[in-house]
Amino acid sequence: MKMSTRFSDAIHILAFIVIYKEKVQLSSDTIASSIGTSPVVVRRLMAQLKKGGLLTTVPGFADPTLKKPAEVVTLLDVYLTIEGDKPLFSVDPKTNPACIVGGNIQPTLTEYYRQAEVAAKAKLQQTTLQDLIDTILVRQAEKEAGK
Amino acid sequence: MKMSTRFSDAIHILAFIVIYKEKVQLSSDTIASSIGTSPVVVRRLMAQLKKGGLLTTVPGFADPTLKKPAEVVTLLDVYLTIEGDKPLFSVDPKTNPACIVGGNIQPTLTEYYRQAEVAAKAKLQQTTLQDLIDTILVRQAEKEAGK
DNA sequence: AACTCCCGAAACTTTTTTAGTTACATGAAT
DNA sequence: ATTCATGTAACTAAAAAAGTTTCGGGAGTT
């Protein structure tokens, strides 16, 4: 299947909420227009972000807010909330256990893959939502200055 | 779609060739039995590994060999050969350019994602095929000792 | 109380990617 | 010439993600 864009869409939602706070109505319809997707997809992600402790929402009232300051929320927080323990690399789970390679490669590769994933996640943890928002606003200012 | 196991299967193939060199006939049928897949899948991966400079094969003769010593081939080498520039994280490519967030998030996230990918790849580069083979053989020895 | 707008969830469909299968061309060894 | 093998193409099946339709129920407004 296609590679999931849920992680990037969830970041988009959070950044949108911070940037447009009190500027536009933060309904799933509005956010969906920015992402270019269906409002139901946005509501699914919002429900996950809420369940993961990153967002506060109220049914019937379009006023989602971050539960923690953007300076505290990291990209890793979002990743873990949306993707959970889904690995970045997939070990073939059906190898032949009667073979020396087939019987030992799964736990072996799983460990090496885990180390690579830890490295990637450590890097995601160094970036906050505020960092991303700052960069977006700088890029936008550059666009407006370049006109 | 399901997460690809090509990367792990390709590593399996290379490890199998080193471990079983001159011990069994290294045909795609044999290797496929260890992986638990179809010989055609193995031949596709072998063709890619050959094209990527990691394997030497000859049509009509089952005698694949590593082009470089296992101590020199890294997991990153295999990843790049099999997955090429396929990213670990996917940025939604269809965001609304007329919006501040939708119009700037793609290049912004792409850069942060790239940094995380570099970290993961650096870790993959620290592991050689020989490291993996050593670990597999140690695990197998432990299994045999534990019987 | 009724209405409108909204979140959240369920069920179904569509799309995309990966793996599996079948088949064939061609090379190497016998 | 035959057998065994790699490599490739074309097609099918399976799995996952996104999109769509629908509905329940909450919050605010009238």
Side-chain angles (χ1 to χ4, degrees), chain A residues 14 17 46 49-51 53-59 61-68:
Chain A
L14 297 173
I17 287 168
M46 283 173 65
L49 290 168
K50 179 179 185 182
K51 197 170 285 182
L54 297 179
L55 203 59
T56 300
T57 61
V58 176
F61 200 53
D63 187 32
T65 60
L66 263 60
K67 223 162 172 169
K68 312 174 198 168

Side-chain angles (χ1 to χ4, degrees), chain B residues 9-10 17 19 22-23 26-28 35 39 48 50 52 62 64 67-68 74 81 86 92 97 124 128 135 146-147:
Chain B
D9 289 342
I17 288 169
I19 290 176
E22 286 163 6
K23 293 188 174 65
L26 300 171
S27 67
S28 49
I35 297 179
Q48 266 187 286
K50 181 178 181 181
K67 222 162 171 166
K68 311 174 198 167
T74 69
T81 295
K86 180 190 164 199
D92 192 325
L124 289 179
T128 66
T135 311
K147 274 163 179 169

Side-chain angles (χ1 to χ4, degrees), chain A residues 1-2 103-104 140 143, chain B residues 1-2 9 103-104 140 143:
Chain A
M1 56 271 156
K2 56 188 95 168
N104 292 289
Q140 184 63 20
K143 275 182 180 174
Chain B
M1 58 267 149
K2 55 185 96 167
D9 289 342
N104 292 290
Q140 184 62 20
K143 275 182 182 175

Side-chain angles (χ1 to χ4, degrees), chain A residues 11-30:
Chain A
I11 295 171
H12 191 138
I13 291 170
L14 297 173
F16 190 96
I17 287 168
V18 173
I19 291 177
Y20 282 102
K21 187 176 179 65
E22 288 164 3
K23 293 187 173 68
V24 304
Q25 190 176 40
L26 299 172
S27 67
S28 49
D29 270 8
T30 305

Side-chain angles (χ1 to χ4, degrees), chain A residues 46-117:
Chain A
M46 283 173 65
Q48 268 188 285
L49 290 168
K50 179 179 185 182
K51 197 170 285 182
L54 297 179
L55 203 59
T56 300
T57 61
V58 176
F61 200 53
D63 187 32
T65 60
L66 263 60
K67 223 162 172 169
K68 312 174 198 168
E71 297 92 341
V72 167
V73 178
T74 68
L75 297 195
L76 180 59
D77 291 330
V78 185
Y79 182 83
L80 293 176
T81 294
I82 296 299
E83 300 294 0
D85 58 358
K86 180 192 164 197
L88 297 179
F89 307 97
S90 181
V91 178
D92 192 325
K94 289 188 288 58
T95 54
N96 185 350
C99 167
I100 292 180
V101 189
N104 292 289
I105 195 165
Q106 288 178 43
T108 305
L109 254 192
T110 296
E111 179 49 29
Y112 287 117
Y113 278 0
R114 195 192 61 75
Q115 291 171 13
E117 281 158 4

